[in-house]
Amino acid sequence: YLIAKEILDRETGLIAVIVASFSFYLVYASRWLSNPTPMFLISVLIFWTMLGSLKKNTYWPLASFLAGMAIQFGSAADIFYVPAIVIIAIWNRKNLTKRVVIVSFLSFFLTFMPQIVFDFKHNQVLSNQIKKFLFQEESFKLSFWGVVKIRFSFYFDVFTSKIWPGNKGNLWPFFLVGLGAILFNLKKLSKNKGFILLIILLISPIVGMLFFQGNYGNIYDYYFTGYYLIFVLLFS
């Protein structure tokens, strides 16, 4: 509510809260991967710190730490918080200092210390699996045109189902009205830094996962758990 209100207004905050509170699939997802999943809170906090970083650079270390935590507790798509944060940092580079960049990197690195220690104590069992996943199995490839059409249909189902479960035919009027509202107010929204931030965070996994061809080319709904509430904010 507070984030949506800060980006736009009170009404937007109320819509976001109502959708998030009554969505069947959001309630289901909140306790399926783990009970409860920390990703809903982490994703909102990441957005909140990114919003704060546009005003004060002291938010960057916390944003970096939360991005590391998202990778720990989330699924495949949560790695794409990192490129989104890098893009936002470049966009907002005038407010960054070397000290903030170094502290932010260290706070991100800190979240991986338990795994690093474990890896050293157990003959690099984790790093060897990562190498196998990335290089031997070629989980990410530049040749992806064959999956684009399938993936975008999948993305549409993943995100819209969190707002409108059931008959997709009934979804279209609401979807088109929402899209039309964005296009009608695009000039105003394009000057809204909070809205631009929202778009960057949401587009990052959508584009990034087009290159993901691991797991026999399959991707699943729960990979995007950390982005469900980001979409709810966009819809609201």
Side-chain angles (χ1 to χ4, degrees):
Y1 171 79
L2 293 174
I3 289 171
K5 182 183 176 183
E6 184 173 347
I7 294 174
L8 214 57
D9 52 33
R10 180 174 177 269
E11 288 75 16
T12 308
L14 290 172
I15 293 170
V17 169
I18 290 169
V19 172
S21 299
F22 289 94
S23 167
F24 169 79
Y25 281 115
L26 285 178
V27 174
Y28 179 77
S30 71
R31 55 174 54 199
W32 179 78
L33 193 59
S34 59
N35 189 13
T37 177
M39 282 313 303
F40 282 2
L41 177 60
I42 290 173
S43 65
V44 172
L45 288 177
I46 286 175
F47 190 86
W48 174 71
T49 54
M50 288 287 91
L51 205 56
S53 71
L54 298 177
K55 301 173 183 177
K56 295 181 180 179
N57 60 16
T58 51
Y59 282 89
W60 284 107
L62 179 56
S64 299
F65 180 80
L66 288 166
M69 296 301 287
I71 295 171
Q72 305 296 327
F73 289 106
S75 302
D78 299 287
I79 188 69
F80 295 107
Y81 278 120
V82 176
I85 289 174
V86 170
I87 291 169
I88 294 162
I90 294 170
W91 174 39
N92 202 42
R93 61 186 178 278
K94 291 182 180 179
N95 296 330
L96 283 174
T97 63
K98 289 183 178 179
R99 181 182 177 184
V100 169
V101 171
I102 292 170
V103 174
S104 298
F105 176 79
L106 291 175
S107 66
F108 178 77
F109 180 76
L110 181 66
T111 64
F112 294 94
M113 283 304 298
Q115 285 89 335
I116 292 171
V117 172
F118 179 89
D119 200 45
F120 274 112
K121 290 179 68 176
H122 295 85
N123 301 316
Q124 290 77 54
V125 63
L126 294 178
S127 56
N128 287 335
Q129 285 300 314
I130 292 172
K131 290 176 184 177
K132 180 181 177 183
F133 177 75
L134 291 176
F135 302 111
Q136 295 179 24
E137 297 179 355
E138 298 182 321
S139 296
F140 287 90
K141 298 179 182 179
L142 292 178
S143 177
F144 66 99
W145 291 111
V147 301
V148 167
K149 184 178 180 181
I150 298 172
R151 289 284 166 85
F152 274 106
S153 175
F154 172 77
Y155 292 152
F156 183 82
D157 289 339
V158 165
F159 290 113
T160 57
S161 65
K162 305 306 174 288
I163 295 172
W164 193 277
N167 190 339
K168 292 295 180 183
N170 297 329
L171 160 72
W172 283 103
F174 292 91
F175 178 79
L176 293 173
V177 167
L179 184 61
I182 289 176
L183 294 174
F184 183 77
N185 294 286
L186 193 59
K187 186 176 181 180
K188 176 184 175 182
L189 291 171
S190 64
K191 298 177 182 178
N192 187 317
K193 289 186 176 182
F195 180 78
I196 295 171
L197 186 66
L198 194 62
I199 294 296
I200 293 172
L201 279 174
L202 195 59
I203 285 180
S204 181
I206 288 174
V207 173
M209 290 300 284
L210 290 175
F211 298 92
F212 180 75
Q213 296 181 38
N215 198 21
Y216 304 102
N218 298 315
I219 60 173
Y220 300 98
D221 193 314
Y222 72 90
Y223 285 3
F224 297 89
T225 304
Y227 298 92
Y228 293 164
L229 292 183
I230 304 297
F231 179 76
V232 169
L233 281 169
L234 176 64
F235 175 79
S236 303

